[in-house]
Every structure is written in structure tokens, then in C-alpha cells.
Amino acid sequence: MVKISLLSLFVIIISCKNPFDEFNRISIDDALEITVQSQINERGGAILNEKYLFISFCPLISKSDNPEYQDIEIFYSVDKLVPYKLHKYKGENYFYIINKKDSLVFKLLNFE
């Protein structure tokens, strides 16, 4: 009985592993300049190029007047723009999406 209980506890601990642990979480301290070829939105996280992780509900703080961006209010919605360029400067709490010479600026939210 004790062995079964310990085994059950072990299985529960392993299954509680954060699925985002395998990705590089982008924070204010990071600098990043990439061309995004893929964006997967899953459980509040936006996984870019199968490597980088942003919180997908980072709010849009500035955009161009292009009607193509009318429905974009959070980073989650940017997946329809792939491919695009992303710039994040070290020490800044916002990042830029450049698509067709237009810029969108998002506030970076931290993982807590």
C-alpha cells in the first residue's frame, strides 16, 4: 500500500511539471531580434519559433492606422500576421512587431 501511495505521489509530481519550462521566457532583462516564422498560442503563452515564450495577453499600446490591425488588442491576435519581425530591447518593458513596414507596440507582461 505504501509503495502504491509513493508511486502515485511521484506520478502526480511529474505530471504537474510546467509545460512552458522548455522555452526561453522573455523578460525585461532580455534583448531579442527575430523573424517570427511560427506562433503557437497555448494556455496564456505565445510560443515563437518553437523557442521563445511570451505571455499571450500582453496589451497593445500603439498601432498604425492600417485596417488590417483593427482587431488586434493583445499579443495573442498577432499569430495571423506570421511571418513578422519582433524587436525587444534590453531593459524595456515593451516590444515591437514590424509587419509590412507597420509597427505595433506591446507592453511586456512578466511571468510570476
Side-chain angles (χ1 to χ4, degrees), residues 12-66:
I12 290 170
I13 290 171
I14 289 177
S15 65
C16 291
K17 182 180 176 203
N18 187 336
F20 294 137
D21 284 346
E22 65 186 274
F23 304 105
N24 297 329
R25 294 176 183 214
I26 303 304
S27 70
I28 290 173
D29 297 331
D30 295 313
L32 186 64
E33 187 170 334
I34 60 172
T35 298
V36 176
Q37 299 295 337
S38 69
Q39 176 176 337
I40 300 168
N41 297 316
E42 189 170 316
R43 296 171 142 193
I47 303 164
L48 310 181
N49 294 347
E50 299 178 8
K51 184 175 182 179
Y52 303 103
L53 179 65
F54 284 78
I55 292 178
S56 62
F57 49 90
C58 292
L60 179 69
I61 57 175
S62 178
K63 67 180 171 183
S64 74
D65 294 329
N66 187 330

Side-chain angles (χ1 to χ4, degrees), residues 82-96:
V82 169
Y84 60 83
K85 294 191 181 293
L86 183 143
H87 296 277
K88 161 67 180 81
Y89 298 102
K90 184 176 177 117
E92 292 187 351
N93 65 344
Y94 45 92
F95 58 95
Y96 307 89

Side-chain angles (χ1 to χ4, degrees), residues 94-106:
Y94 45 92
F95 58 95
Y96 307 89
I97 301 296
I98 291 90
N99 184 43
K100 300 177 186 172
K101 298 187 180 183
D102 291 322
S103 295
L104 305 170
V105 183
F106 291 86

Side-chain angles (χ1 to χ4, degrees), residues 58-77:
C58 292
L60 179 69
I61 57 175
S62 178
K63 67 180 171 183
S64 74
D65 294 329
N66 187 330
E68 180 179 1
Y69 310 123
Q70 177 179 338
D71 296 334
I72 296 176
E73 294 184 13
I74 59 174
F75 187 52
Y76 181 92
S77 305

